């Protein structure tokens, strides 16, 4: 799509970025704080609009995912198999629990009040952070998965888990005894990422081939008015594209980032988009651009099709 | 004075008397005798008479002279008159005239004078005329020498008559006419020359002057000599020839131009520019009169235009050739023929000028026609070949699909894939018949055409043959496995008899892509390797779900057991046990042990020897793989369950390797990090 804007700027680069690859980054739901997990074994907290590093938390191994609880604390998933809670204000972290293999993804469900983690040990675990620390108290449940968990996403009471082997399990958080749906990715290649639509009707699935599939929870709904909305995808080609799922068209493409886009996050009001430009080792070990985080403003024109959905997180 | 009136004679007489008187006196004085006096007087008288006589003679003489003169003059006059062709006018007029001689003389002299004058005049006329004649003759002859007019005149001294003069005038007149004719001729010639020069862009003055210097000058008199006229004539002819030559050249160019315009559909505006050329394409020499239409410059200009048009034509032809080549390629590709390289080379050579564009165009056209014809004849068979290829694809998709564990899961599009599988199955069933039909059709075609039926360069018959062979191999493999399964079924039966319990069947058999690779390899090897792997799988509770699912999705050829394994549902339901691993797992450990030991001793898959060696062997496996931790629980369970023969052992290896190979980027990165850490430590050691 051609842009009507003047030569695009990749955004403001955050200072003091992580010193190794960025695995994920998230905006807070309450402010412009940005939480960044990295292979340099740290989780960093930034004030994105002020471009200030507010905190840095060391881990025992590369941190593969992170998420906010509120503006005073967050959680992290690390390759040293441990799940941690991070207290921003106190400047420290504590272990919430552990898996048998690196913990790949972590989410906090406001609906259930639980932390949900997926690991390469082929299990999903739910934790209650309110309990005192110590694994025995906090672990709510362990749910085996067909394969190593690669990605998970929450919306409302629904949880979508994507694993190796292209399996997809959909759970109702109120009844985790078994998946509500067991599905298979309709894409031919390894699942890279899964994200639920904010309106809760379905989820988007992406694969390492570079495709995105739009799925609905309820198939009957799928045939009705399609409400895909707009969403942004970042790829190893260094581009961030904004799509109109409804019309299956690309709305906008931001200028190329120095290297692979490892993670994306929209701010709570959709004004800002944080882009992690960090080589994701898709081509093995090779020389790459330094890891950087860019925060850019989002223009309505870039993301707005006829229906107005501002990106899905 | 009154004395003056006295007559001079009287005076003289007086004087004589006085003198006589005086003489008398003197004599007197002297005293002369009268005789002497008389003598003297006589002498005197005689002398006087002499004097008188002398005077009279003189007078006579003069008279005679006058008469002579008159006669002479008369003669002269006559001569003149005769010369002038006139009658003497007044001869003997003196007879009639009472005038004195002197008068006569006077008259005649004046007449003579007059005649002389007239003669002179006439002579002048003659001279004049003769001069003119001579001049003109000279001009005509081209000679500059002039015959002296005096001699001419001398020659005509005898005839100064008017007649002759008129004759001369006539001559002169004719000569003048001749001269004027010639002048006219010259002017005509010069006009012609001028016109020729202007048409051909040559310098007229120069050319004219070359013929004769006087011709270049429009003011002065021009040469009218024979030589000049001749030369003018020659020059004009020469130029005319040149004109014709140029005209023919121009007409050739114009014709070529018209042809090229016609060939290339040149727009009217362009053609208009050369209107003046093409309008003369069929003109004859005298019709071309406009200045500079045949000048060197103009002809060069036209030549350039023609050459430009020819270049345009050849480039257009090249374009056409390239287009045709593309067309040829397209047709060839559509009908899966490989295009001819010879023609390609020829086309490349166009620029070098070695090969003629027109010939190549012809050749291409021929080639296109040929390929079209061939395409037509291939059409039917080609369709069948493509259908066959599509069917082969569906066949392989079906194979893959059948290996897929999840294929019966409710998911988006499952019903579509089910339908596709149905269709694919029926297609596959029809395949052998189709292949045979196709083969015979191709053979017939080949015999008729006398050449092989090629598809993108490969003979289709050999493709079909390969396919048939492959199928045959697969079929054999299937049969073998079926046999094996049957035997193992027997084994189970025996074991049941021995141990009296049934085992549930979960075996990690997603033979995802294993089939083809398996068939060629001796089963023992694979099995041996697969054993431990198998075990690890089975022990792993987390794997169980997948295992069971894949088990249920196996293709018949890989099933050593019957298909009555309610794997999926059973295991799915088993998920709600949070911590406890799979209870149904069981005997997997036992099984593998058995198998392992069996296979170590017996090189076949025949599970005839069943031994139970529980825990020991199981524990040996735990280095394998990613998730060894669940083993303990499985082990505890295993005693409760029965043995079930392992399913396709061969495939397990392959599946295993497949799963090992699927890794996310993060897993690879982590592995790399760990290996990086280890290396330094190794080096230290």
């Amino acid at each position: 799509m051609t842009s009507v804007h003047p030569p695009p700027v990749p955004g403001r680069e955050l200072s003091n970025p992580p010193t190794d690859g960025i695995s994920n980054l998230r905006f807070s739901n309450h402010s412009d704080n940005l939480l960044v997990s990295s292979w340099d074994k740290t989780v960093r907290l930034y004030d994105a609009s002020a471009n200030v590093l507010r905190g840095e938390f060391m881990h025992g191994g590369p941190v593969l995912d992170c998420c906010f609880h509120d503006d005073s604390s967050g959680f992290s998933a690390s390759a040293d198999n441990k799940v941690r809670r991070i207290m921003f204000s106190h400047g420290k972290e504590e272990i919430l629990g552990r898996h048998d293999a690196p913990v790949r993804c972590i989410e906090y469900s406001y609906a259930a009040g639980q932390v949900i983690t997926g690991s390469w040990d082929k299990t999903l675990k739910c934790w209650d952070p309110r309990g005192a620390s110590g694994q025995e108290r906090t672990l709510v449940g362990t749910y085996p998965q067909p394969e190593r968990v690669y990605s998970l996403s929450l919306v409302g009471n629904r949880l979508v888990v994507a694993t190796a082997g292209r399996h997809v399990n959909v759970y109702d958080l109120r009844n985790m005894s078994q998946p509500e749906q067991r599905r298979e990715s309709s894409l031919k290649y390894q699942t890279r990422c899964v994200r639920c639509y904010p309106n809760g009707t379905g989820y988007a699935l992406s694969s390492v081939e570079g495709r995105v599939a739009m799925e609905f929870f309820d198939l009957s709904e799928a045939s009705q008015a399609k409400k895909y909305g707009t969403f942004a995808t970042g790829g190893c080609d260094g581009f961030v594209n904004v799509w109109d799922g409804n019309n299956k068209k690309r709305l906008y493409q931001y200028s190329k980032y120095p290297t692979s886009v490892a993670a994306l996050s929209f701010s709570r009001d959709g004004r800002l988009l944080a882009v992690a430009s960090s080589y994701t080792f898709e081509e093995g070990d090779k020389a790459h651009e330094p890891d950087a985080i860019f925060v850019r403003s989002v223009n309505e024109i870039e993301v707005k099709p006829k229906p107005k959905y501002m990106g899905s997180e | 004075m009154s004395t003056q009136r006295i007559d001079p004679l009287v005076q003289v007489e007086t004087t004589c008397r006085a003198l006589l008187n005086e003489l008398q006196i003197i004599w007197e004085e002297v005293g002369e005798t009268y005789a002497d006096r008389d003598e003297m007087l006589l002498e005197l008288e005689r002398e006087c008479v002499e004097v008188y006589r002398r005077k009279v003679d003189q007078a006579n003489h003069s008279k005679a002279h006058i008469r002579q003169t008159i006669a002479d003059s008369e003669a002269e006059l006559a001569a003149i008159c005769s010369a002038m062709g006139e009658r003497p006018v007044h001869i003997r007029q003196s007879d009639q005239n009472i005038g004195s001689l002197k008068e006569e003389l006077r008259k005649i002299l004046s007449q003579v004078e007059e005649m002389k004058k007239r003669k002179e005049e006439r002579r002048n006329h003659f001279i004049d005329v003769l001069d003119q004649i001579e001049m003109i003759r000279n001009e005509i002859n081209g000679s500059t020498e002039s015959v002296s007019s005096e001699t001419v005149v001398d020659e005509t001294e005898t005839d100064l008559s008017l007649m002759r003069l008129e004759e001369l005038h006539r001559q002169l007149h004719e000569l003048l006419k001749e001269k004027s004719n010639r002048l006219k001729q010259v002017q005509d010639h010069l006009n012609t020359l001028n016109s020729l020069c202007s048409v051909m862009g040559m310098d007229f003055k120069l050319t004219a002057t070359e013929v004769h210097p006087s011709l270049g000058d429009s003011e002065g008199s021009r040469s009218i000599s024979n030589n000049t006229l001749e030369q003018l004539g020659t020059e004009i002819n020469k130029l005319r020839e040149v004109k014709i030559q140029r005209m023919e050249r121009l007409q050739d160019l114009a014709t070529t131009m018209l042809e090229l315009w016609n060939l290339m559909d040149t727009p009217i505006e362009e053609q208009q520019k050369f209107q003046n050329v093409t309008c003369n394409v069929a003109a004859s020499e005298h019709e071309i009169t406009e200045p500079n239409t045949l000048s060197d410059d103009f002809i060069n200009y036209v030549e350039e235009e023609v050459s430009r048009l020819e270049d345009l034509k050849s480039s257009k032809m090249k374009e056409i050739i390239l287009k045709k080549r593309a067309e040829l390629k397209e047709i060839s590709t559509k009908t899966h023929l490989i295009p001819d390289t010879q023609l390609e080379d020829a086309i490349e050579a166009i620029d070098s000028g070695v090969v003629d564009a027109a010939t190549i165009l012809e050749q291409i056209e021929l080639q296109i026609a040929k390929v079209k014809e061939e395409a037509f004849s291939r059409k039917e068979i080609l369709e069948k070949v493509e259908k066959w290829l599509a069917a082969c694809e569906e066949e392989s998709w079906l194979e893959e699909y059948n290996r897929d564990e999840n294929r019966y899961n409710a998911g988006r599009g499952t019903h579509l894939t089910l339908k596709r599988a149905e269709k694919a199955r029926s297609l596959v069933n029809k395949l052998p018949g189709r292949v045979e039909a196709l083969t015979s059709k191709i053979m017939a075609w080949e015999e008729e055409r006398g050449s092989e039926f090629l598809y993108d360069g490969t003979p289709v018959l050999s493709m079909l043959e390969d396919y048939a062979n492959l199928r045959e191999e697969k079929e054999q493999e299937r049969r073998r496995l079926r046999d094996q399964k049957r035997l193992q079924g027997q084994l189970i039966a025996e074991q049941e008899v021995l141990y009296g319990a049934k085992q549930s069947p979960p075996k990690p058999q997603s033979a995802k892509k294993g089939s083809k690779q398996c068939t060629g390899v001796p089963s023992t090897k694979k099995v041996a390797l697969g054993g431990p792997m198998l075990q690890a799988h089975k022990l792993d509770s987390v794997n169980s779900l997948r295992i069971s699912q894949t088990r249920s999705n196996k293709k018949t050829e890989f099933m050593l057991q019957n298909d009555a394994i309610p794997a999926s549902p059973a295991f799915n339901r088993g998920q709600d046990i949070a911590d406890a691993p799979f209870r149904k797992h069981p005997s997997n450990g036992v099984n593998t042990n058995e198998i392992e030991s069996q296979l170590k001793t017996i090189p076949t898959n025949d599970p005839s020897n069943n031994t139970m060696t529980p825990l020991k062997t199981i524990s040996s496996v735990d280095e394998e793989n990613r998730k060894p931790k669940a083993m303990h629980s499985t082990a505890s369970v295993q005693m409760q369950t029965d043995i079930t023969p392992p399913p396709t052992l061969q495939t397990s290896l392959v599946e295993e390797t497949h799963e090992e190979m699927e890794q996310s980027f993060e897993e690879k990165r982590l592995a790399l990090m760990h290996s990086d850490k280890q290396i330094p430590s190794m080096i230290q050691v």
Side-chain angles (χ1 to χ4, degrees):
Chain A
M1 287 240 167
T2 52
S3 154
V4 294
H5 299 281
V9 169
R12 185 168 29 95
E13 193 172 337
L14 286 187
S15 34
N16 296 312
T19 54
D20 201 345
I22 297 164
S23 51
N24 200 1
L25 47 71
R26 310 244 200 173
F27 269 108
S28 153
N29 279 337
H30 312 288
S31 66
D32 281 346
N33 281 340
L34 190 69
L35 197 63
V36 180
S37 57
S38 163
W39 284 77
D40 69 355
K41 306 184 191 174
T42 68
V43 169
R44 292 170 195 237
L45 178 72
Y46 298 87
D47 179 339
S49 17
N51 190 1
V52 172
L53 176 67
R54 292 222 183 278
E56 191 176 332
F57 309 95
M58 291 302 298
H59 288 56
V63 189
L64 300 181
D65 199 1
C66 61
C67 68
F68 274 98
H69 178 187
D70 50 35
D71 264 1
S72 61
S73 67
F75 302 99
S76 69
S78 169
D80 65 356
N81 307 0
K82 300 189 181 72
V83 182
R84 290 179 176 78
R85 174 190 4 227
I86 303 172
M87 323 287 284
F88 304 137
S89 30
H90 301 156
K92 61 172 184 166
E93 68 286 339
E94 59 181 15
I95 296 175
L96 205 56
R98 59 183 63 199
H99 275 266
D100 299 325
V103 190
R104 175 66 184 90
C105 12
I106 187 162
E107 286 287 347
Y108 178 74
S109 166
Y110 291 93
Q114 293 176 3
V115 177
I116 302 166
T117 55
S119 162
W120 290 341
D121 67 358
K122 303 187 191 176
T123 65
L124 199 67
K125 285 187 196 267
C126 292
W127 313 84
D128 183 349
R130 292 164 297 188
S133 54
Q135 230 176 300
E136 303 74 33
R137 303 280 177 82
T138 52
L139 180 64
V140 171
T142 302
Y143 312 102
Q145 298 301 308
E147 253 286 6
R148 297 153 281 165
V149 177
Y150 281 165
S151 178
L152 54 85
S153 176
L154 289 169
V155 64
N157 277 317
R158 276 216 176 88
L159 167 70
V160 181
V161 183
T163 71
R166 296 164 48 247
H167 302 279
V168 176
N169 279 336
V170 181
Y171 287 89
D172 184 331
L173 285 172
R174 297 163 295 197
N175 177 17
M176 289 294 290
S177 54
Q178 63 164 355
E180 195 180 39
Q181 295 177 32
R182 263 179 269 259
R183 297 165 112 164
E184 180 193 20
S185 160
S186 49
L187 300 170
K188 281 199 266 185
Y189 288 82
Q190 181 188 90
T191 310
R192 184 77 188 131
C193 175
V194 66
R195 288 290 179 267
C196 296
Y197 309 147
N199 68 358
T201 54
Y203 57 92
L205 207 63
S206 69
S207 77
V208 295
E209 189 197 9
R211 285 185 205 264
V212 175
M214 319 288 297
E215 312 274 9
F216 281 102
F217 292 127
D218 184 347
L219 286 171
S220 65
E221 259 189 43
S223 54
Q224 288 169 23
K226 297 179 181 180
K227 299 172 191 165
Y228 289 111
T230 59
F231 57 95
T233 56
C236 292
D237 58 0
F239 284 105
V240 173
N241 293 319
V242 180
W243 308 84
D244 177 351
N246 218 347
N247 297 324
K248 300 187 179 59
K249 277 190 160 42
R250 186 173 67 187
L251 288 172
Y252 195 81
Q253 181 182 75
Y254 294 116
S255 60
K256 194 166 185 297
Y257 285 92
T259 179
S260 318
V261 175
L264 289 175
S265 181
F266 279 100
S267 61
R268 63 200 155 98
D269 52 10
R271 271 188 317 108
L272 297 174
L273 175 66
V275 180
S277 167
S278 166
Y279 179 57
T280 48
F281 271 65
E282 63 273 15
E283 283 173 23
D285 193 6
K286 68 173 201 187
H288 56 88
E289 298 294 317
D291 312 290
I293 300 170
F294 295 94
V295 177
R296 58 173 302 138
S297 320
V298 174
N299 278 313
E300 258 201 49
I301 298 172
E302 295 162 6
V303 297
K304 177 178 146 178
K306 272 54 173 212
K308 268 197 222 183
Y309 286 122
M310 302 291 271
S312 71
E313 198 196 321
Chain B
M1 20 180 123
S2 53
T3 52
Q4 294 287 334
R5 281 206 231 142
I6 304 169
D7 195 342
L9 231 95
V10 174
Q11 231 179 1
V12 167
E13 266 182 30
T14 316
T15 312
C16 278
R17 263 189 252 120
L19 283 172
L20 269 175
N21 293 335
E22 207 177 322
L23 199 50
Q24 305 253 357
I25 306 170
I26 295 175
W27 282 337
E28 297 259 334
E29 264 203 69
V30 161
E32 294 297 321
T33 63
Y34 287 105
D36 277 332
R37 270 192 225 172
D38 284 335
E39 224 177 289
M40 269 193 248
L41 275 162
L42 199 72
E43 222 177 286
L44 196 78
E45 289 290 320
R46 259 196 256 120
E47 274 184 14
C48 287
V49 166
E50 280 308 312
V51 168
Y52 277 106
R53 201 176 272 138
R54 233 196 353 250
K55 292 287 179 222
V56 167
D57 278 345
Q58 271 185 357
N60 267 339
H61 271 129
S62 124
K63 185 180 97 181
H65 182 72
I66 288 175
R67 276 214 177 121
Q68 185 62 43
T69 311
I70 290 174
D72 282 345
S73 300
E74 279 179 353
E76 198 181 336
L77 191 64
I80 290 176
C81 285
S82 90
M84 286 180 47
E86 285 178 37
R87 267 197 234 114
V89 183
H90 76 292
I91 303 230
R92 303 296 173 215
Q93 267 184 10
S94 62
D95 283 30
Q96 298 164 2
N97 213 345
I98 312 174
S100 65
L101 281 180
K102 273 209 169 166
E103 247 180 58
E104 213 178 303
L105 182 67
R106 204 178 19 85
K107 270 194 210 156
I108 212 158
L109 278 181
S110 75
Q111 282 180 350
V112 168
E113 270 315 305
E114 206 185 296
M115 283 314 279
K116 271 192 177 167
K117 246 201 320 193
R118 280 173 66 182
K119 179 182 173 190
E120 200 55 39
E121 265 177 38
R122 180 135 333 148
R123 215 173 128 210
N124 283 341
H125 283 156
F126 267 84
I127 290 174
D128 202 24
V129 173
L130 286 169
D131 269 350
Q132 284 186 23
I133 287 176
E134 195 207 329
M135 201 168 69
I136 294 178
R137 281 230 179 93
N138 280 344
E139 279 184 7
I140 289 174
N141 292 337
S143 58
T144 48
E145 50 169 283
S146 60
V147 178
S148 147
S149 53
E150 279 145 27
T151 40
V152 174
V153 176
D154 281 346
E155 281 170 13
T156 62
E157 186 70 51
T158 49
D159 191 349
L160 291 173
S161 62
L162 278 174
M163 214 164 67
R164 182 137 184 277
L165 190 62
E166 267 176 38
E167 165 92 22
L168 286 178
H169 270 293
R170 200 181 39 80
Q171 277 186 12
L172 181 62
H173 187 68
E174 279 194 19
L175 281 174
L176 282 172
K177 231 178 25 164
E178 170 87 9
K179 174 170 174 175
S180 116
N181 274 349
R182 286 191 171 206
L183 278 174
K184 189 159 168 299
Q185 255 187 357
V186 166
Q187 187 58 46
D188 279 345
H189 281 322
L190 286 176
N191 286 344
T192 316
L193 198 67
N194 190 13
S195 139
L196 284 171
C197 284
S198 108
V199 167
M200 294 199 289
M202 294 177 172
D203 187 343
F204 164 69
K205 265 218 173 121
L206 195 65
T207 320
T209 321
E210 264 175 19
V211 177
H212 194 280
S214 69
L215 296 178
D217 188 1
S218 55
E219 294 289 321
S221 68
R222 298 183 173 153
S223 163
I224 49 169
S225 68
N226 291 335
N227 199 20
T228 306
L229 285 175
E230 208 182 293
Q231 282 190 334
L232 264 179
T234 322
E235 184 71 15
I236 284 175
N237 284 339
K238 190 176 83 172
L239 285 182
R240 200 166 264 140
E241 252 171 63
V242 174
K243 179 179 179 186
I244 289 178
Q245 262 180 12
R246 289 192 186 183
M247 184 187 76
E248 282 175 357
R249 170 115 186 86
L250 195 64
Q251 284 173 346
D252 276 345
L253 288 172
T255 320
T256 316
M257 204 183 273
L258 284 168
E259 280 173 12
L260 287 170
W261 283 344
N262 194 22
L263 201 63
M264 297 197 287
D265 275 334
T266 316
I268 285 289
E269 306 83 49
E270 256 190 66
Q271 294 190 24
Q272 292 286 23
K273 282 192 238 160
F274 291 89
Q275 180 67 19
N276 50 354
V277 177
T278 49
C279 69
N280 285 333
V281 72
S284 51
E285 181 263 325
H286 63 274
E287 286 172 346
I288 302 181
T289 52
E290 258 189 56
N292 277 326
T293 41
L294 290 177
S295 66
D296 274 334
D297 286 339
F298 184 70
I299 292 186
N300 283 341
Y301 171 63
V302 175
E303 260 180 33
E304 275 172 23
E305 176 69 9
V306 170
S307 138
R308 179 188 78 88
L309 285 172
E310 300 227 309
D311 284 342
L312 194 64
K313 168 181 161 192
S314 73
S315 82
K316 281 206 174 173
M317 220 188 236
K318 190 162 175 219
E319 250 180 63
I320 294 180
I321 286 179
L322 291 175
K323 250 196 243 172
K324 294 271 171 193
R325 169 168 79 163
E327 192 186 328
L328 183 64
K329 246 193 199 147
E330 200 193 313
I331 301 177
S332 298
T333 335
K334 263 201 201 154
T335 189
H336 291 276
L337 276 175
I338 299 195
D340 178 21
T341 48
Q342 227 186 16
L343 205 52
E344 288 289 314
D345 295 338
I347 293 172
E348 297 303 321
I350 286 181
D351 280 333
S352 63
V354 170
V355 197
D356 171 36
T359 350
I360 293 195
L361 194 61
E362 231 180 88
Q363 284 183 4
I364 287 194
E365 296 272 3
L366 282 174
Q367 190 79 340
I368 287 181
K370 198 176 90 168
V371 173
K372 274 190 178 160
E373 187 262 319
E374 192 158 345
F376 182 72
S377 86
R378 284 165 65 94
K379 193 162 159 223
E380 196 198 334
I381 294 189
L382 202 63
E383 274 173 20
K384 293 209 189 297
V385 170
E386 308 226 299
K387 276 200 191 146
W388 167 65
L389 288 171
C392 283
E393 265 189 50
E394 281 299 289
E395 190 183 5
S396 61
W397 175 85
L398 187 64
E399 282 178 14
E400 214 185 293
Y401 170 83
N402 283 335
R403 276 179 254 131
D404 182 6
E405 319 168 323
N406 292 335
R407 67 181 194 251
Y408 293 127
N409 281 351
R412 241 174 113 249
T414 315
H415 53 295
L416 292 169
T417 43
L418 281 172
K419 275 206 176 123
R420 185 178 171 186
E422 268 303 310
K423 286 194 191 140
R425 261 179 232 123
S426 68
L427 205 64
V428 168
N429 286 338
K430 292 188 203 152
L431 256 182
R434 283 206 183 148
V435 167
E436 252 198 66
L438 183 57
T439 311
S440 58
K441 265 213 158 74
I442 291 182
M443 283 170 64
W445 185 94
E446 284 189 351
E447 208 179 299
E448 197 191 313
R449 302 280 296 199
S451 64
E452 284 185 311
F453 189 102
L454 298 174
Y455 187 89
D456 287 341
T458 339
V460 178
L461 279 186
S462 66
M463 283 164 74
L464 289 171
E465 221 180 284
D466 289 341
Y467 172 76
N469 288 340
L470 195 64
R471 266 207 134 207
E472 187 59 38
E473 278 179 30
K474 276 200 247 171
E475 198 54 49
Q476 282 181 359
E477 185 58 34
R478 259 179 251 158
R479 269 183 244 132
R480 202 172 46 73
L481 290 174
R482 241 181 309 210
D483 291 339
Q484 195 182 34
K485 192 176 76 169
R486 213 181 336 115
L487 289 170
Q488 295 211 339
Q490 290 175 1
L491 179 64
I492 293 173
E494 288 175 29
Q495 287 187 342
E496 277 178 12
V497 166
L498 284 173
Y499 298 104
K502 277 210 166 39
Q503 278 189 338
S504 48
K507 311 293 180 295
Q509 289 320 326
S510 70
K512 279 208 162 86
K513 281 167 191 170
S515 55
K516 289 218 172 94
Q517 298 169 28
C518 289
T519 43
V521 181
S523 46
T524 44
K525 250 198 246 168
K526 287 250 171 122
V527 173
L529 285 171
M533 297 252 179
L534 196 60
Q535 208 168 27
H537 272 287
K538 292 175 189 167
L539 296 171
D540 196 328
S541 57
V542 180
N543 263 336
S544 62
L545 175 64
R546 181 181 46 75
I547 290 166
S548 58
Q549 288 175 338
T550 53
R551 181 91 175 109
S552 63
N553 292 345
K554 257 178 296 182
K555 250 184 168 180
T556 41
E557 54 252 44
F558 296 107
M559 301 274 269
L560 296 180
Q561 277 191 354
N562 54 30
D563 285 349
I565 301 167
S568 328
F571 288 100
N572 286 348
R573 272 180 253 117
Q575 289 304 320
D576 49 8
I577 301 169
D579 272 333
F582 253 129
R583 40 181 203 280
K584 290 208 181 159
H585 256 304
S587 55
N588 296 348
V590 180
N591 271 340
T592 38
N593 294 335
E594 293 168 359
I595 294 156
E596 216 178 0
S597 52
Q598 280 167 31
L599 294 170
K600 279 174 189 152
T601 51
I602 304 168
T604 61
N605 272 346
D606 190 3
S608 47
N609 306 327
N610 278 334
T611 51
M612 291 263 290
T613 44
L615 290 160
K616 209 166 67 160
T617 41
I618 295 168
S619 49
S620 67
V621 176
D622 63 358
E623 319 82 35
E624 265 320 318
N625 219 351
R626 319 156 228 162
K627 289 85 189 172
K629 300 256 173 85
M631 275 205 303
H632 54 279
S633 40
T634 353
S636 61
V637 173
Q638 100 193 12
M639 290 302 284
Q640 302 163 19
T641 53
D642 265 346
I643 306 158
T644 41
T648 19
L649 304 167
Q650 300 93 312
T651 56
S652 63
L653 166 69
V654 180
E655 177 215 21
E656 188 54 48
T657 41
H658 263 282
E659 288 170 47
E660 286 291 10
M661 280 164 68
E662 185 185 359
Q663 281 193 318
S664 64
F665 305 141
E666 286 75 23
E667 287 168 295
K668 289 183 200 159
R669 191 172 186 167
L670 197 65
L672 207 66
M673 262 180 97
H674 287 154
S675 66
D676 280 348
K677 273 192 235 153
Q678 283 170 8
I679 289 170
S681 59
M682 278 164 64
I683 293 172
Q684 282 169 15
V685 172

